[in-house]
Amino acid sequence: MIRSLLFSLVLLTGSAYAAQSTTGSAVSAEALHKKAMNPALTEHERIDAIKQLYGNTLVDGNIPPRTVCVWDILGRSGPIYAAALDQQARMLDMGVVINMEAYTNEGVLADDLKAGQCDAALFTGIRARLFNKFTGTIDAIGAIPSSRHMNMLMKVLVNPKNAPRMEEGQFVVMGFAPMGAAYIFVNDKQISTLAKAAGKRVAVMDYDLVQAEMILQLGANPVPTSVVSAGSKFNNRAVDVLPAPLVAYNIMELYRGIGDKGGIVNYPFSQLTLQLIGRKDKFPTEIAQLVRENFYSRFAAIEKEVERQTGDVPDNLWIDISAEDKAEYQLMMQQARIALRDRDYYDGDMLTLQRKIRCKFEPSHSECAQPVE
């Protein structure tokens, strides 16, 4: 999955920078830009326009090397990094030199991207919020109920009209991929509702003080953790409650923390993403647009791969909750989104777009007649 995403970026970038000079055509830069951004044209036509726009960016006749940094929880021995390495020879044959770097710590990766040590970085959408609040709000709690909603949202986002929203400061969002739903893992099935989480230890991201504040408001005890250490803390009983993607059940061996008494609350509280963030001075707008479209074209294939990596989750681990409890979850998550929007944590335009998509699927819901997002 990651190989196809990451190197679709490289292939497009390599193609775009392959020209050694401009064509000398009288076509204006604006016209070439419009052509490159037009999804109705063939990819060949669009890449040809990009060649004309950026043909003078070669260094001594060669494509400048690019450093792509990849977050993999297992580092260099992980499947994401291994998939990237498999393609290095192929890229060299195309004349594209790619320096691959593996990171197990998203915080360090984010800092290196900011410092220019990485030309592009692949990490979770939650971390991507630090670089683009608009797409970083895709993962907002309760905002995307299902895969169908996520598919529609991403289809809207890859429209060239939204390209300006993909750029913020020095960075550009080059793609987003579905990583499946996140659920609440507990070491005691009695912790099945928000009220019953009071007094319990809940894992929160160590770089996100807002998450800790929300947990405190529920009467629970936030325990700062990183993505890498979250699984071990749950498995070692340092935390009682762990919000995590379902794929973590096998990858992080969360069945150890669940044990004989725990389970998974059968209500997804978020749909997660993996996002590719690049530096604008390395990846121009037109290239970023092509890469985003390529990401979306692989939506179904990516979902199948996530499902494969998730594996089987025993039916007896699911903790079913009542319709009343689900309504409580929905109300709490809506209130949290609004509060976080008002604190400039979530992007209001993204929340509005997500609400409109929810109403496409469920127009009779009260939020459609009386919107607050």
Side-chain angles (χ1 to χ4, degrees):
M1 174 189 69
I2 302 302
R3 175 176 59 190
S4 62
L5 292 179
L6 180 59
F7 285 95
S8 65
L9 157 68
V10 177
L11 284 169
L12 288 171
T13 304
S15 298
Y17 284 101
Q20 294 189 13
S21 63
T22 58
T23 62
S25 170
V27 179
S28 69
E30 181 179 358
L32 290 171
H33 168 76
K34 289 181 178 179
K35 183 178 180 181
M37 298 291 285
N38 186 355
L41 299 179
T42 66
E43 185 175 283
H44 175 78
E45 291 174 311
R46 297 170 73 184
I47 289 177
D48 181 65
I50 294 175
K51 289 179 181 179
Q52 295 181 58
L53 277 171
Y54 300 106
N56 61 347
T57 59
L58 298 178
V59 177
D60 295 329
N62 298 311
I63 301 166
R66 294 289 182 255
T67 299
V68 179
C69 301
V70 181
W71 172 72
D72 191 314
I73 196 169
L74 298 178
R76 290 178 178 271
S77 61
I80 298 174
Y81 188 75
L85 285 178
D86 287 343
Q87 298 298 314
Q88 278 191 319
R90 182 181 177 189
M91 295 306 103
L92 284 173
D93 289 341
M94 296 177 60
V96 182
V97 178
I98 296 295
N99 301 315
M100 300 299 306
E101 298 291 343
Y103 288 72
T104 58
N105 187 311
E106 278 194 306
V108 175
L109 174 51
D111 289 342
D112 283 359
L113 177 61
K114 291 176 182 178
Q117 299 299 312
C118 305
D119 297 321
L122 186 68
F123 41 39
T124 63
I126 295 174
R127 181 70 67 169
R129 188 183 59 81
L130 302 176
F131 297 88
N132 188 294
K133 190 171 66 172
F134 184 66
T135 65
T137 304
I138 294 176
D139 298 52
I141 57 173
I144 302 293
S146 73
S147 170
R148 293 189 305 158
H149 293 75
M150 180 66 84
N151 192 314
M152 180 177 289
L153 175 63
M154 290 188 172
K155 182 178 182 180
V156 171
L157 293 180
V158 299
N159 189 306
K161 292 181 180 179
N162 284 315
R165 300 304 304 263
M166 301 297 116
E167 300 182 1
E168 186 174 310
Q170 304 174 57
F171 304 97
V172 56
V173 181
M174 305 189 67
F176 20 76
M179 292 301 289
Y183 290 84
I184 302 295
F185 291 75
V186 297
N187 59 17
D188 186 341
K189 287 185 178 179
Q190 296 302 312
I191 313 173
S192 59
T193 66
L194 298 174
K196 293 178 180 178
K200 302 300 181 181
R201 297 162 299 176
V202 181
V204 298
M205 292 296 99
D206 52 13
Y207 64 88
D208 200 331
L209 296 178
V210 174
Q211 286 188 10
E213 291 179 20
M214 292 174 60
I215 295 303
L216 284 171
Q217 291 174 7
L218 293 174
N221 301 315
V223 178
T225 185
S226 67
V227 174
V228 175
S229 63
S232 61
K233 285 189 176 182
F234 181 69
N235 292 340
N236 294 326
R237 303 299 173 122
V239 297
D240 305 300
V241 181
L242 174 65
L246 193 60
V247 69
Y249 174 76
N250 282 306
I251 292 179
M252 293 185 175
E253 301 181 341
L254 298 184
Y255 46 82
R256 299 181 184 275
I258 290 175
D260 297 329
K261 297 181 179 180
I264 308 169
V265 178
N266 196 6
Y267 186 79
F269 72 90
S270 179
Q271 297 287 330
L272 302 180
T273 62
L274 196 66
Q275 299 190 22
L276 181 67
I277 307 296
R279 297 186 63 85
K280 288 198 302 184
D281 59 341
K282 302 295 184 180
F283 302 103
T285 298
E286 298 82 4
I287 292 176
Q289 176 62 32
L290 280 173
V291 177
R292 286 192 297 270
E293 292 174 17
N294 188 270
F295 264 64
Y296 178 67
S297 72
R298 301 174 184 272
F299 186 95
I302 295 169
E303 280 202 324
K304 287 183 179 179
E305 180 62 19
V306 172
E307 291 174 2
R308 189 188 69 80
Q309 293 180 8
T310 299
D312 295 328
V313 177
D315 292 339
N316 66 328
L317 294 184
W318 291 106
I319 305 171
D320 291 323
I321 60 176
S322 67
E324 291 77 11
D325 288 336
K326 289 181 180 180
E328 180 187 0
Y329 270 106
Q330 289 180 345
L331 178 60
M332 183 280 295
M333 290 189 291
Q334 182 188 65
Q335 292 173 340
R337 291 195 302 270
I338 293 172
L340 293 174
R341 176 199 65 190
D342 293 344
R343 293 183 58 175
D344 204 33
Y345 182 90
Y346 283 156
D347 182 89
D349 290 342
M350 175 59 75
L351 292 181
T352 297
L353 175 58
Q354 291 169 322
R355 189 257 306 163
K356 290 180 177 179
I357 289 175
R358 292 195 299 273
C359 290
K360 285 281 188 180
F361 290 92
E362 194 176 355
S364 62
H365 197 282
S366 60
E367 71 170 342
C368 305
Q370 298 178 318
V372 293
E373 293 182 85

